[in-house]
Amino acid sequence: MTETPLLRFGVIADPQYVDADPNPGLDRHYRESLTRLTQAIETFNGRELDFVITLGDLIDRDWASFDAVLPLYRSLRHRALFLAGNHDFSIDSSHLGAVHKRLGMPAPYHDLLIRGHRIVLLDGSEVSTFALPPGHPRYEVAAARLATLKAAGAHNAESWNGTLSEAQFAWLEQVLDDAVADGEPVIVFCHYPVWPRNVHDLWDAPRVLALLERYPTVRAYLNGHNHAGNEATRGATHFVTFKGMVDTPDSTAFAVVSLYETRLEIEGFGRELSRTLTAS
């Protein structure tokens, strides 16, 4: 008898579509993402999934790019969830405040219950120097924090990273407390990684990591942003960075993730490898 997963969902990371020529230096092939997304959606439609999540950077730049890529998701027969990544804000400043709405998100960060699992979507761009115009209070906080990190020689002191506000951090802690009280396993999604240590990490990755480690009910933290991908397991939590779909001229990257009682199975497509992760 085939074991039924507790939860199964599709994952797409960093399509970064824009109608532009490839960037050979970064090995990014922007126009190809339309075809790759279409192929991924066709694959997902052939599976029984609880949802499909795009982990940010749906576009590379230009507000008009959303008009070309979002209609592809109309053919998806599953629930579509989105995160906003740093490249989704590489648009005219007049549209910065409309990105989450354009992606159909109910709020920049939020949680929902799917098949008894608490699904948490974080906004790692909330405090950043790209998602807000200069002069905005959170922009000023971000600029000061980035300067402090650079002065300290921090490994992730990059302008294309960001972090959570104090309000969002407190909200996350409360959501985790509530999930424990309600007996709900948790999966956290964010565009930015917190582990393994990498230049793409959230600015306050150690603080977020320390919080998550207090809650063994957090089954996984899944993200994009680092196109090379990586993974590690700490205690009961799997940390997985999915490879960028936009990379290379002739290969794709996406996955189907199945969560079981004792393991996380990743069925990879293209450059995304298939593997099974078990808790340490």
Side-chain angles (χ1 to χ4, degrees):
M1 182 176 179
T2 303
E3 185 180 2
T4 302
L6 303 173
L7 202 66
R8 177 172 282 158
F9 51 90
V11 174
I12 297 168
D14 302 88
Q16 286 187 215
Y17 169 75
V18 67
D19 184 10
D21 293 336
N23 183 327
L26 295 175
D27 200 14
R28 293 181 183 168
H29 300 263
Y30 308 108
R31 292 192 184 100
E32 299 304 318
S33 287
L34 291 183
T35 298
R36 295 173 189 182
L37 279 168
T38 299
Q39 293 169 342
I41 289 170
E42 289 175 352
T43 299
F44 293 148
N45 282 344
R47 306 298 179 91
E48 294 304 318
L49 305 176
D50 295 297
F51 60 91
V52 170
I53 186 164
T54 302
L55 296 170
D57 285 1
L58 179 62
I59 66 168
D60 183 78
R61 55 190 183 273
D62 297 340
W63 182 254
S65 296
F66 285 121
D67 297 330
V69 71
L70 279 172
L72 297 179
Y73 285 81
R74 294 174 188 162
S75 64
L76 179 68
R77 71 181 184 92
H78 306 294
R79 183 176 191 173
L81 302 178
F82 291 91
L83 291 173
N86 53 305
H87 280 276
D88 294 313
F89 296 97
S90 295
I91 53 179
D92 187 272
S93 60
S94 63
H95 294 298
L96 287 176
V99 169
H100 299 100
K101 183 178 180 181
R102 187 71 185 90
L103 291 171
M105 300 174 64
Y109 57 90
H110 57 285
D111 66 296
L112 58 157
L113 190 65
I114 299 179
R115 285 183 61 188
H117 290 69
R118 183 58 52 182
I119 307 300
V120 180
L121 282 72
L122 298 180
D123 180 14
S125 305
E126 185 185 20
V127 177
S128 67
T129 57
F130 51 78
L132 304 155
H136 190 286
R138 290 203 308 274
Y139 178 98
E140 300 306 323
V141 170
R145 186 171 297 180
L146 180 57
T148 299
L149 288 170
K150 285 184 174 181
H155 72 285
N156 57 343
E158 302 289 350
S159 60
W160 27 261
N161 294 330
T163 193
L164 318 184
S165 67
E166 290 299 319
Q168 184 179 176
F169 188 89
W171 169 85
L172 173 60
E173 186 173 24
Q174 186 62 60
V175 168
L176 295 176
D177 283 339
D178 292 344
V180 169
D182 294 336
E184 299 164 352
V186 178
I187 301 180
V188 179
F189 295 95
C190 187
H191 179 63
Y192 307 88
V194 295
W195 189 258
R197 192 173 184 268
N198 189 270
V199 296
H200 298 83
D201 289 346
L202 280 175
W203 286 340
D204 60 349
R207 184 187 186 199
V208 174
L209 186 62
L211 174 64
L212 297 177
E213 289 184 325
R214 287 168 37 196
Y215 298 88
T217 51
V218 178
R219 297 292 310 277
Y221 179 104
L222 309 178
N223 62 270
H225 194 44
N226 173 13
H227 292 214
N230 60 30
E231 66 190 48
T233 299
R234 290 172 66 108
T237 306
H238 305 296
F239 294 85
V240 182
T241 299
F242 290 90
K243 296 180 185 293
M245 177 177 276
V246 71
D247 296 64
T248 78
D250 54 6
S251 67
T252 189
F254 62 95
V256 170
V257 177
S258 298
L259 181 69
Y260 295 90
E261 194 69 45
T262 60
R263 67 192 188 277
L264 189 76
E265 291 189 359
I266 299 174
E267 181 184 5
F269 297 84
R271 291 177 295 105
E272 191 64 66
L273 301 177
S274 296
R275 64 268 201 205
T276 298
L277 306 179
T278 56
S280 58

